[in-house]
Amino acid sequence: MSTQPPANPSDPDAIRARVADACDALEQIDRGGCYARITVHRSWSRHNPATTGQIARPSSYRWYLERELAALLEQGAEIEIAPSRERVPSTTPSCFAGLTSPSLILRARSFSCSAPSALIYPSSGWSITPARALRTFSATSY
């Protein structure tokens, strides 16, 4: 799907309409059996002007997407939505191939709700980190 011209940040009705269209597109891609790729172009960001990630099951948290996408559009961001890769069923054995080694820990990437752009998961999704690479903290190590 192509990028539409940016919504007028001062027109709440245009922003609501754009957000509804974006959420509908995300859900349509999900129903089609793919993850949705969302790219947010933020002209005000000097170090990270474009953020891309994959969205799974957008209907589960549409209320959150509506709020965060609206906040991004109000700031003048441009949002692009397109299909990404095919969804992998959770019953696929290859999903768990890396879990056989006791030296690996499966962990989810952190997900911060502090900024509108935090709704974007990194494209890599999950990562497998060797246990020795993780740093542990005690109350006195800060």
Side-chain angles (χ1 to χ4, degrees), residues 10-41:
S10 61
D11 185 0
D13 292 332
I15 289 175
R16 271 194 296 277
R18 182 66 52 82
V19 167
D21 290 345
C23 288
D24 290 344
L26 290 168
E27 291 175 9
Q28 181 182 0
I29 291 168
D30 184 62
R31 282 191 301 272
C34 290
Y35 294 109
R37 184 182 71 241
I38 183 167
T39 303
V40 178
H41 299 277

Side-chain angles (χ1 to χ4, degrees), residues 93-121:
S94 63
C95 287
F96 303 101
L99 298 177
T100 58
S101 172
S103 66
L104 298 177
I105 297 173
L106 182 68
R107 64 180 174 88
R109 298 274 177 130
S110 63
F111 183 76
S112 170
C113 296
S114 60
S117 59
L119 67 98
I120 308 299
Y121 280 95

Side-chain angles (χ1 to χ4, degrees), residues 21-93:
D21 290 345
C23 288
D24 290 344
L26 290 168
E27 291 175 9
Q28 181 182 0
I29 291 168
D30 184 62
R31 282 191 301 272
C34 290
Y35 294 109
R37 184 182 71 241
I38 183 167
T39 303
V40 178
H41 299 277
R42 302 170 300 169
S43 60
W44 63 87
S45 177
R46 190 173 123 209
H47 299 291
N48 197 8
T51 305
T52 301
Q54 295 179 20
I55 302 283
R57 302 284 185 214
S59 59
S60 301
Y61 49 96
R62 182 179 176 127
W63 63 271
Y64 177 77
L65 290 170
E66 287 174 344
R67 183 185 74 193
E68 299 302 313
L69 292 174
L72 285 164
L73 290 173
E74 287 168 1
Q75 294 176 29
E78 294 180 35
I79 298 170
E80 181 180 348
I81 296 170
S84 184
R85 60 189 171 97
E86 237 180 82
R87 256 193 341 248
V88 178
S90 60
T91 55
T92 303

